[in-house]
């Protein structure tokens, strides 16, 4: 009995000594620290462009045949849609046979074409030259006075700028001349055709 009491006393003393020395709690398997999540790698881009992010400016994305090129059939349709240039007969016997076609910008001997009035300061003249209709385009001639203007008789009468070789006309209308020019308020040379009896 005494030996058993000594063992109990010794066991109790050892337990008190362990508590006083700060013996840690019963050892168990320590918990592992939380593992940080690995960064997610971005999805790999497809080299062919299918299923991945589309690549801007890739030559593979351009339509076949170059940028903006349509099929050959559409080109033929566009060419067929353009109106064909109308051609009129040009043979003439006089200026009255010639008219102007605004669509083609030419003169022709067709009664449906526009007959142009005589030119005064600018415009278009359709005349007959060597049996064929010809075109004369008269541009406005700027001036500061009558002395800057003159009359050109060829190929048909129209105002031009006066020069030493072609000075401004002088004389009386119907007595010395039937055509004359003046510098109007618009500062453009203007041709005058004088109605002279017997001429």
């Amino acid at each position: 009995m005494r030996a058993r009491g000594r063992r109990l006393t010794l066991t109790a003393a050892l337990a008190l000594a362990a508590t006083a020395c700060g013996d840690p709690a019963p050892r168990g398997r320590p918990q592992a620290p939380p593992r940080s999540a690995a960064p997610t790698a971005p999805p790999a881009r497809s080299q062919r462009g299918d299923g991945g992010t589309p690549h801007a400016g890739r030559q593979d994305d351009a339509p076949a045949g170059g940028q903006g090129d349509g099929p050959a059939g559409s080109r033929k349709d566009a060419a067929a849609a353009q109106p064909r240039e109308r051609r009129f007969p040009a043979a003439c016997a006089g200026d009255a046979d010639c008219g102007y076609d605004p669509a083609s910008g030419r003169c022709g001997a067709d009664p449906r074409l526009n007959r142009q009035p005589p030119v005064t300061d600018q415009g278009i003249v359709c005349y007959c030259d060597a049996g064929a209709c010809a075109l004369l385009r008269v541009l406005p001639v700027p001036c500061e006075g009558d002395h800057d203007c003159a009359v050109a008789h060829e190929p048909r009468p129209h105002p031009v700028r006066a020069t030493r070789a072609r000075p401004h006309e002088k004389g009386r209308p119907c007595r010395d001349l039937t055509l004359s020019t003046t510098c109007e308020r618009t500062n453009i040379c203007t041709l005058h055709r004088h109605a002279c009896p017997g001429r």
Side-chain angles (χ1 to χ4, degrees), residues 154-177:
E154 299 297 335
R156 293 297 182 270
H158 61 281
V160 293
R161 188 169 184 83
T163 60
R164 290 185 178 180
R166 186 187 284 120
H168 177 69
E169 60 281 349
K170 295 180 180 181
R172 293 182 180 181
C174 295
R175 180 179 177 180
D176 303 319
L177 47 84

Side-chain angles (χ1 to χ4, degrees), residues 10-11 17 19 74 116 138 198:
L10 182 59
T11 303
T19 304
S74 61
Q116 302 298 312
V138 180

Side-chain angles (χ1 to χ4, degrees), residues 31-49:
Q31 296 182 357
R35 299 176 62 183
S36 59
T40 304
R45 294 185 178 181
S46 174
Q47 298 296 331
R48 297 178 56 185

Side-chain angles (χ1 to χ4, degrees), residues 81-171:
Q82 295 179 357
R84 294 183 178 180
E85 182 180 353
R86 294 182 298 176
R87 294 186 178 182
F88 299 96
C92 59
D95 292 351
D97 296 336
C98 300
Y100 180 68
D101 177 32
S104 62
R106 297 181 179 180
C107 295
D110 192 299
R112 296 172 296 176
L113 300 182
N114 300 332
R115 264 52 185 177
Q116 302 298 312
V119 170
T120 56
D121 52 5
Q122 59 185 308
I124 294 173
V125 178
C126 288
Y127 63 99
C128 188
D129 181 26
C133 292
L135 172 66
L136 171 64
R137 191 180 301 272
V138 180
L139 300 178
V141 181
C143 59
E144 295 181 359
D146 293 347
H147 59 278
D148 293 331
C149 305
V151 178
H153 295 271
E154 299 297 335
R156 293 297 182 270
H158 61 281
V160 293
R161 188 169 184 83
T163 60
R164 290 185 178 180
R166 186 187 284 120
H168 177 69
E169 60 281 349
K170 295 180 180 181

